């Protein structure tokens, strides 16, 4: 909605959450953006359109598993036109001694079956699937501030949250987000954004010589 309203972008969003899609589509209609923006309840692999200028993938790699990364990046690569860009947004931790990268509490109550991959693996897999990686940024401290804002928002609307999801679930998310503020501040977890481009036939990237964002 922001890209459509502020930059005239024709944007398509997809999500596996029916409630999320219904809420987003309702907002799009209310803001008068139906000519430019759409959100569908759909698996990203089932999007029929192709030749996109850009794809933004937010927090998906944590849920598809390491074994699916080649197919994931390959699919997104096929959906872009030459010169098209992929921005992949992911959470990252260093593997622990036992190989378990997800905290037991988070794995049980917040993100069952989630996998946090090292950013190096993501960059390498993007390269293997044809992307040229142009930029990588760690927004760890920024995300600590974002989570702190979410915590404040939850406290301000605590009674509404409890009515909607119950006291137990509200308390789980209060604890999870507060702990994550500390986790990002202390570098127990990071937030990376990796920008890749699908090159043209002669290797042209269609990227500026210096960053313009």
């Amino acid at each position: 909605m922001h890209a459509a309203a502020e930059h005239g972008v024709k944007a398509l969003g997809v999500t596996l959450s029916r409630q999320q899609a219904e809420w987003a589509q309702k907002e799009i209609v209310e803001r008068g953006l139906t000519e430019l923006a759409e959100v569908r309840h759909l698996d990203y692999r089932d999007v029929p359109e192709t030749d996109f200028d850009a794809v933004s993938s937010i927090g998906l790699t944590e849920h598809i598993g390491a074994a699916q990364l080649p197919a994931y990046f390959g699919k997104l690569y096929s959906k872009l036109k030459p010169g098209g860009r992929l921005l992949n947004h992911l959470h990252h931790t260093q593997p622990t001694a036992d190989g378990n990268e997800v905290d037991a509490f988070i794995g049980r109550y917040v993100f069952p079956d989630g996998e946090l991959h090292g950013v190096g693996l993501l960059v390498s897999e993007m390269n293997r699937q044809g992307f040229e990686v142009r930029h990588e940024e760690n927004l760890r401290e920024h995300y600590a501030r974002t989570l702190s804002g979410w915590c404040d928002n939850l406290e301000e609307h605590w009674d509404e949250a409890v009515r909607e999801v119950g006291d137990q679930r509200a308390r789980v998310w209060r604890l999870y987000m507060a702990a994550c503020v500390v986790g990002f501040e202390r570098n127990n977890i990071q937030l990376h954004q990796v920008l890749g481009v699908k090159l043209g036939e002669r290797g042209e990237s269609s990227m500026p010589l210096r960053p313009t964002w």
Side-chain angles (χ1 to χ4, degrees):
M1 287 185 284
H2 176 83
E6 301 297 326
H7 303 286
V9 171
K10 188 171 184 180
L12 169 65
V14 295
T15 173
L16 291 179
S17 167
R18 184 180 298 278
Q19 290 175 313
Q20 189 179 59
E22 290 174 352
W23 176 88
Q25 196 59 38
K26 182 174 180 290
E27 283 288 308
I28 287 169
V29 172
E30 291 180 356
R31 298 186 192 188
L33 296 171
T34 54
E35 295 298 316
L36 292 175
E38 178 187 1
V39 174
R40 300 176 191 165
H41 176 228
L42 188 68
D43 191 299
Y44 79 96
R45 294 168 292 188
D46 297 326
V47 173
E49 291 88 349
T50 189
D51 287 335
F52 287 94
D53 295 304
V55 171
S56 177
S57 179
I58 307 300
L60 183 56
T61 52
E62 294 92 326
H63 300 284
I64 63 174
Q68 300 299 320
L69 290 178
Y72 162 74
F73 284 119
K75 171 62 74 172
L76 297 186
Y77 185 87
S78 73
K79 289 293 183 179
L80 289 165
K81 70 178 186 181
R85 304 173 188 179
L86 166 66
L87 182 70
N88 197 88
H89 170 111
L90 69 141
H91 293 85
H92 159 82
T93 60
Q94 296 294 342
T96 58
D98 61 4
N100 180 17
E101 298 183 16
V102 177
D103 177 85
F105 174 82
I106 296 174
R108 173 66 179 85
Y109 294 104
V110 184
F111 293 119
D113 300 322
E115 289 185 16
L116 299 182
H117 313 296
V119 67
L121 173 63
L122 272 291
V123 168
S124 295
E125 197 54 60
M126 287 177 69
N127 283 148
R128 277 192 285 269
Q129 298 305 317
F131 287 101
E132 180 184 40
V133 173
R134 302 289 304 204
H135 187 77
E136 191 282 330
E137 187 171 14
N138 183 2
L139 298 171
R140 176 171 65 83
E141 294 89 350
H142 295 260
Y143 214 58
R145 296 179 65 181
T146 296
L147 279 155
S148 181
W150 288 346
C151 289
D152 291 342
N153 193 45
L154 178 59
E155 293 303 319
E156 291 173 12
H157 300 276
W158 180 254
D159 292 340
E160 298 170 51
V162 170
R163 284 195 298 269
E164 183 169 339
V165 302
D167 183 73
Q168 184 178 24
R169 179 168 293 182
R171 286 178 179 272
V172 164
W173 279 83
R174 172 196 263 169
L175 174 60
Y176 161 68
M177 291 195 298
C180 281
V181 172
V182 179
F184 280 99
E185 289 175 344
R186 297 186 178 181
N187 196 29
N188 294 328
I189 188 168
Q190 301 173 358
L191 190 285
H192 289 262
Q193 292 188 343
V194 184
L195 178 66
V197 62
K198 179 178 182 177
L199 300 178
E201 291 183 1
R202 298 183 179 181
E204 61 272 24
S205 69
S206 302
M207 295 286 292
L209 292 179
R210 293 179 181 270
T212 57
W213 51 86

